[in-house]
Amino acid sequence: MSLVAISLVAVSPVAVSPVAVSLAAMSLAAISLAPLLDAAPAIPLHAVAAMTAFVLGVVQFAAPKGTLPHRAIGAIWVALMAIVAISSFWIHQLRLVGPWSPIHLLSIFTLVMLPLAVWKAHTHQVASHRRIMIYLFSGALVIAGLFTLLPGRIMHAVLFGT
């Protein structure tokens, strides 16, 4: 049993099956940042900005709205999403029309919708602001992020090995 598996059993408040512990240890062992760090510079920038935006987005959904922290975290989130969208124009792993793919249309959409969502918040159109932000979070981060986990993609190699 590996050190990770032993520590999982040691800190678990309930009995954990050996199979679950072994699976957890195997999945942790499979994670390697090497494919991400070996990629072109735009790819790690894109991935780190997207993962950070995902975490901050979850915080935003859970936290009180309209407060100073909500606005500050929101500004950081918007900047991160702009980095995610802009950096995608230097990523060309999927090529359907020349160097471009449908994901680049999502990037253009994101770059148009981000300032619109900010403007909606500043003009107190809260329902529109909320709807746009939820669409951006779910579409540009969650759904697009799930596609990065397909076999042959860099994030699949990071999380699951080759």
Side-chain angles (χ1 to χ4, degrees):
M1 190 180 292
S2 72
L3 182 58
V4 172
I6 292 168
S7 64
L8 284 173
V9 171
V11 299
S12 175
V14 296
V16 177
S17 76
V19 172
V21 171
S22 295
L23 289 174
M26 285 180 2
S27 65
L28 287 175
I31 294 176
S32 169
L33 292 177
L36 188 59
L37 298 176
D38 292 340
I43 295 172
L45 172 66
H46 181 83
V48 169
M51 289 183 283
T52 306
F54 178 81
V55 171
L56 289 181
V58 170
V59 168
Q60 285 292 76
F61 286 132
K65 310 302 181 265
T67 63
L68 186 58
H70 177 80
R71 292 175 185 164
I73 292 171
I76 295 167
W77 190 85
V78 167
L80 287 167
M81 288 302 294
I83 291 168
V84 170
I86 292 167
S87 65
S88 77
F89 294 111
W90 282 268
I91 300 173
H92 303 286
Q93 268 65 32
L94 302 174
R95 297 169 183 253
L96 296 180
V97 180
W100 311 112
S101 71
I103 198 74
H104 294 103
L105 293 174
L106 178 60
S107 296
I108 293 168
F109 177 78
T110 300
L111 290 171
V112 169
M113 297 309 285
L114 282 171
L116 179 62
V118 171
W119 179 73
K120 295 284 188 180
H122 283 289
T123 57
H124 305 288
Q125 299 176 48
V126 177
S128 295
H129 168 75
R130 179 184 306 117
R131 185 175 42 258
I132 293 168
M133 290 304 198
I134 289 171
Y135 287 156
L136 287 174
F137 180 85
S138 58
L141 284 177
V142 176
I143 294 171
L146 289 173
F147 280 106
T148 68
L149 301 178
L150 292 173
R153 306 292 308 272
I154 290 173
M155 291 310 293
H156 182 274
V158 167
L159 293 177
F160 307 112
T162 56

